[in-house]
């Protein structure tokens, strides 16, 4: 009741839902690592995303929130061209990484994915590989490295992913022998081993118990120092806790494309957002 | 009044009786289906075991007195082994192609061809290889010609099982590899195929078990002989257990027919062994994802 009133009293200074494409957008401080300009995405003839423009701040955590089906996963996949696996999926617009257009004609998606890694919703370790081999899977499939060098990378990245103490004595065990939460941290370690500039995470903790979730959040706090993280989450507390910037995706009606409705510093998005839908969503009134 | 605890009515009693009758009929049919198989196995066992002795395994066959099947054992190993060398790589690669790149017209054509090929009678395959290889090499029967015929029978089976098993590999595992910046072809070779490997090998075992007993196409390609088998795999007749069963089984001396029974037992055991090994080693064709 109370929040309803506050919301009404502030309506005057807000863009209303009907204002459509007018999107509150804030430029993060500093030089962004990735920039997205007027991005549209399609699955065949279905337009899933419309006019998304956003900047991803370097060495910060950017959270993406929004109701189910509004295109968060679709968007995050456009950042490392993972949508290209889906037949018929295509992108219009511009996405740059350190100023380079990742959709330019001569850019190899494989190279983009080396620099922009991804962690998925469901833990997906390679079932035929040991824990050790899972961590270095990406490296092994690249150039040859010395055993001692690999050992160092395995230990370092497992420590970064807060998994080392739990697996140090069973590195030769199968990756799938771990618990769901451990598997997800193994997948994070596997991504870190590639030393990407940006790590994309699509609901990395949604399939996990609270303790594992906590561990993954702690991991992310540490990662911030060296990496840029973009995380999709349905958990408002998680977004508020771990992110510096938050983007709210929204879909006006069934069948319409999703849009980036509002983007700002997390603090502002959760305390005093510009748009009514954002406030309704972050306070849990719908979605 | 509760519908579930209603007293047993005539209607319900009839239904229960029907249920019991159908169950009994199903059991009876299952038993009837097992009888011929058991009968064959027991009969071959009784007839064949008596033929097994040192001579059986070490001597050459003859059609007028009790001999052995040494040449048939080696010939089977040789011809089936060669057919594996030819058929397995082609079948597995075609299966990988269909699963990974086969969602187009070319894929549909290959799939249709493979399905049709697996329905072609094996004698027709034998005739085909006879025309293609034997006649074109001056009428030379050879182990390689036989291996080709068996490979042709084997390939469609391996292709389709490989394709199906590879399709079962979860998309999430493929995605994981691609997201690490591993190129598509390396993802297939180093992640997808190893994940599906046990299933693929099971398919190979079953395909090999199927061709190991083939006879008709071999008559037209390796000819079958009671003489020592040719040392040259490209030239000269050889024989297999299946061909010896055919030749010796029709002989007019009972002691020769007995050797054929011994060969039949050996062949059945090899084929059963392959099938059972495939299931034991790889858990009923299951693949560990
Ligand atoms: N492979 C696909 N083929 C066709 N349409 C798709 C595909 N994937 C997603 N879509 C559609 O695109 C829209 C956005 O989906 P997306 O998965 O990006 O939503 P989301 O915000 O991630 O939702 P959630 O919170 O449930 O994960 C939806 O309407 C969905 O039906
Ligand atoms: Mg999603």
């Amino acid at each position: 009741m109370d929040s309803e009133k506050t919301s009404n009293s502030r309506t005057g200074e807000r863009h209303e839902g009907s204002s459509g494409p007018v999107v509150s957008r804030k430029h993060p401080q500093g030089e962004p690592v990735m920039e997205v300009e007027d991005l549209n995405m399609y699955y065949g003839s279905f337009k899933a995303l419309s006019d998304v423009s956003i900047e991803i701040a370097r060495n910060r955590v950017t959270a993406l929130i929004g109701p189910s089906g509004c295109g968060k996963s679709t968007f995050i996949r456009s950042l490392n061209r993972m949508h290209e696996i889906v037949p018929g999926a295509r992108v219009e617009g511009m996405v740059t990484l350190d100023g380079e257009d990742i959709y330019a004609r001569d850019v190899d998606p494989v190279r983009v994915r080396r620099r922009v890694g991804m962690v998925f919703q469901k833990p997906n370790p390679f079932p035929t590989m040991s824990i050790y081999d899972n961590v270095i899977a990406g490296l092994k499939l690249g150039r040859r490295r010395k055993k001692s060098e690999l050992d160092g990378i395995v230990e370092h990245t497992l420590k970064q992913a807060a998994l080392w103490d739990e697996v140090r004595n069973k590195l030769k065990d199968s990756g799938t022998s771990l618990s769901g939460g451990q598997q997800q941290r193994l997948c994070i370690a596997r991504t870190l081993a590639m030393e990407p500039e940006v790590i994309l995470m699509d609901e990395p903790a949604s399939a996990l118990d609270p303790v594992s979730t906590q561990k993954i959040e702690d991991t992310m706090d540490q990662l911030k120092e060296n990496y840029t993280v973009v995380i999709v989450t349905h958990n408002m507390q998680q977004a508020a806790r771990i992110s510096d910037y938050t983007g709210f995706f929204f879909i006006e009606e069934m069948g319409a494309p999703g849009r980036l409705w509002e983007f700002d510093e997390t603090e502002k998005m959760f305390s005093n957002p510009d748009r009514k839908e954002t406030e309704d969503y972050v306070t849990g009134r719908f979605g | 009044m509760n519908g579930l605890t209603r007293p047993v009515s005539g209607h319900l009693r009839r239904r229960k009786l029907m249920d019991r009758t159908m169950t009994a009929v199903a059991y009876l049919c299952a038993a009837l289906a097992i009888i011929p198989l058991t009968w064959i196995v027991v009969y071959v066992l009784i007839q064949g075991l008596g033929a097994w002795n040192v001579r059986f395994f070490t001597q050459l066959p003859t059609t007028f007195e009790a001999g052995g099947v040494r040449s048939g054992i080696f010939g089977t190993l040789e011809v089936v082994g060669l057919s594996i060398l030819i058929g397995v790589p082609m079948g597995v690669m075609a299966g990988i192609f269909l699963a990974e790149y086969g969602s187009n017209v070319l894929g549909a054509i290959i799939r249709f061809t493979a399905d049709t090929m697996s329905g072609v009678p094996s004698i027709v395959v034998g005739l085909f290889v006879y025309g293609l290889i034997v006649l074109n090499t001056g009428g030379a029967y050879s182990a390689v010609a036989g291996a080709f015929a068996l490979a042709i029978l084997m390939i469609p089976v391996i292709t389709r099982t490989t394709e199906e098993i590879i399709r079962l590999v979860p998309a999430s595992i493929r995605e994981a590899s691609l997201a690490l910046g591993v190129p598509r072809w390396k993802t297939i070779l180093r992640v997808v195929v190893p994940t599906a490997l046990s299933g693929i090998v099971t398919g190979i075992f079953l395909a090999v078990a199927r061709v190991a007993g083939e006879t008709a196409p071999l008559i037209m390609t390796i000819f079958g002989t009671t003489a020592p088998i040719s040392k040259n795999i490209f030239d000269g007749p050889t024989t297999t257990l299946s061909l010896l069963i055919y030749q010796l089984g029709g002989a007019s001396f009972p002691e020769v027919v007995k050797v054929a029974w011994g060969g039949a037992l050996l062949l059945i055991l090899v084929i059963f062994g392959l099938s059972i090994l495939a299931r034991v080693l790889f858990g009923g064709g299951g693949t560990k994802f």
Side-chain angles (χ1 to χ4, degrees):
Chain A
M1 230 40 249
D2 207 45
S3 58
E4 187 101 83
K5 222 178 255 162
T6 355
S7 138
N8 282 339
S9 68
R10 282 200 241 118
T11 329
E13 47 189 274
R14 270 169 214 220
H15 311 278
E16 272 305 322
S18 54
S19 56
V22 187
V23 170
S24 314
R25 177 179 167 208
K26 162 129 179 132
H27 295 274
Q29 289 172 342
E31 186 69 11
V33 57
M34 295 192 83
E35 279 180 88
V36 179
E37 245 345 286
D38 296 327
L39 184 86
N40 297 315
M41 287 188 73
Y42 302 82
Y43 291 106
S45 57
F46 172 68
K47 189 172 188 180
L49 274 181
S50 178
D51 295 319
V52 176
S53 298
I54 193 172
E55 288 169 20
I56 308 296
R58 192 182 296 278
N59 293 1
R60 293 283 181 278
V61 177
T62 302
L64 304 178
I65 58 172
S68 192
C70 64
K72 304 178 297 295
S73 300
T74 303
F75 172 72
I76 206 173
R77 283 164 173 262
S78 77
L79 298 180
N80 70 345
R81 298 182 62 168
M82 278 301 283
H83 69 281
E84 290 175 8
I85 302 176
V86 180
R90 72 198 152 83
V91 156
E92 279 170 4
M94 175 108 131
V95 179
T96 60
L97 173 61
D98 292 324
E100 258 183 281
D101 181 1
I102 66 167
Y103 286 103
R105 202 174 263 283
D106 54 348
V107 170
D108 181 358
V110 166
R111 296 206 60 88
V112 174
R113 293 174 196 149
R114 295 247 163 118
R115 291 169 61 189
V116 185
M118 188 159 203
V119 176
F120 297 84
Q121 179 170 358
K122 239 183 82 204
N124 51 3
F126 299 122
T128 55
M129 297 184 196
S130 67
I131 294 170
Y132 184 99
D133 287 335
N134 259 283
V135 177
I136 57 165
L139 298 175
K140 237 187 171 174
L141 298 168
R143 71 176 168 85
R144 287 206 161 278
R145 282 166 208 259
K146 280 203 290 288
K147 174 89 169 69
S148 58
E149 190 186 351
L150 290 175
D151 287 349
I153 293 172
V154 169
E155 179 169 349
H156 179 66
T157 53
L158 284 173
K159 276 180 176 159
Q160 275 185 304
L163 186 60
W164 175 249
D165 292 332
E166 288 156 70
V167 302
R168 60 186 305 170
N169 294 322
K170 48 175 185 179
L171 292 174
K172 290 285 160 237
D173 287 12
S174 161
T176 43
S177 68
L178 298 173
S179 76
Q182 290 172 327
Q183 287 187 17
Q184 191 63 304
R185 278 176 279 147
L186 178 61
C187 293
I188 293 175
R190 179 175 70 185
T191 304
L192 292 176
M194 301 302 289
E195 301 192 306
E197 286 166 65
V198 182
I199 300 176
L200 310 174
M201 299 187 172
D202 193 350
E203 302 185 44
S206 69
L208 306 180
D209 64 287
V211 176
S212 302
T213 303
Q214 184 58 48
K215 288 208 161 146
I216 286 182
E217 286 183 17
D218 294 346
T219 307
M220 260 179 284
D221 255 349
Q222 292 182 11
L223 292 183
K224 241 198 282 196
E225 314 204 334
N226 303 307
Y227 296 93
T228 304
V229 176
V230 181
I231 176 172
V232 173
T233 178
H234 276 287
N235 181 334
M236 292 307 115
Q237 285 83 30
Q238 187 173 61
R241 265 196 308 266
I242 62 175
S243 70
D244 303 290
Y245 294 92
T246 298
F248 173 59
F249 281 80
F250 187 61
I251 182 169
E252 278 167 289
E253 57 199 67
M254 280 295 289
R259 293 171 187 282
L260 178 62
W261 209 246
E262 185 166 355
F263 176 64
D264 213 322
E265 282 164 16
T266 298
E267 176 124 21
K268 169 121 195 305
M269 289 287 279
F270 281 88
S271 59
N272 182 26
D274 284 340
R275 304 190 81 176
K276 182 171 179 304
E277 293 80 5
T278 312
E279 173 155 328
D280 286 350
Y281 186 77
V282 298
T283 54
R285 230 164 300 158
F286 75 86
Chain B
M1 187 65 199
N2 187 332
L4 286 174
T5 56
R6 199 172 47 190
V8 179
S9 67
H11 180 76
L12 186 59
R13 212 171 296 134
R14 252 201 324 279
R15 204 194 310 147
K16 276 193 164 165
L17 186 68
M18 191 65 179
D19 186 47
R20 281 207 200 101
T21 318
M22 289 315 289
T23 311
V25 169
Y27 270 102
L28 190 69
C29 291
L32 283 175
I34 296 175
I35 287 173
L37 177 70
T38 323
W39 197 343
I40 292 174
V41 173
V42 170
Y43 198 73
V44 173
L45 209 61
I46 293 169
Q47 297 282 336
L49 264 186
W52 281 20
N53 50 35
V54 176
R55 190 200 63 235
F56 173 82
F57 289 101
T58 55
Q59 301 282 301
L60 283 174
T62 71
T63 48
F64 47 86
E65 59 180 14
V69 294
R70 191 187 76 203
S71 58
I73 295 172
F74 283 107
T76 299
L77 289 176
E78 181 185 26
V79 176
V80 173
L82 286 171
S83 75
I84 290 172
L85 287 184
I86 303 166
V88 167
M90 285 180 71
V92 169
M93 281 192 283
I96 294 171
F97 173 84
L98 284 184
E100 295 289 337
Y101 304 95
S103 48
N104 50 24
V105 180
L106 180 63
I109 293 173
I110 294 175
R111 210 168 284 122
F112 178 75
T113 312
D115 285 346
T116 312
M117 259 168 73
S118 51
V120 172
S122 58
I123 184 80
V124 176
V125 172
L127 192 62
F128 169 73
V129 174
Y130 178 76
L132 187 78
I133 297 181
V134 177
L135 287 186
N136 283 324
T137 52
Y141 296 102
S142 68
V144 168
F148 259 102
L150 296 190
I152 291 174
L153 293 169
M154 198 154 59
I155 286 169
V157 182
I158 295 180
T159 300
R160 291 314 300 272
T161 48
T162 302
E163 179 189 1
E164 243 123 73
I165 296 291
I166 286 191
R167 279 186 192 284
L168 286 179
V169 175
S172 61
I173 290 173
R174 241 171 269 250
E175 280 187 338
S177 175
L178 293 170
L180 286 174
V182 178
R184 174 103 190 264
W185 64 272
K186 262 191 182 172
T187 296
I188 294 168
L189 286 187
R190 304 264 194 101
V191 176
V192 176
V193 171
T195 305
L197 193 63
S198 61
I200 295 174
V201 175
T202 303
I204 293 172
F205 270 53
L206 295 177
V208 170
R210 188 188 164 287
V211 301
E214 279 293 345
T215 317
L218 295 180
I219 297 176
M220 320 191 73
T221 51
I222 71 172
F223 191 63
T225 174
T226 49
I229 60 177
S230 167
K231 292 219 165 57
N232 184 350
I233 58 168
F234 296 102
D235 189 17
T238 159
T239 194
T240 61
L241 282 173
S242 57
L243 275 177
L244 285 182
I245 295 166
Y246 167 68
Q247 283 181 298
L248 305 183
S252 40
F253 303 99
E255 61 269 33
V256 177
V257 177
K258 201 162 181 213
V259 174
W261 280 110
L265 177 61
L266 187 56
L267 189 56
I268 283 192
L269 288 183
V270 168
I271 292 170
F272 279 14
L274 280 172
S275 305
I276 292 169
L277 206 62
R279 289 188 170 84
V280 171
L281 281 183
F282 306 112
T287 300
K288 43 167 187 181
F289 297 140

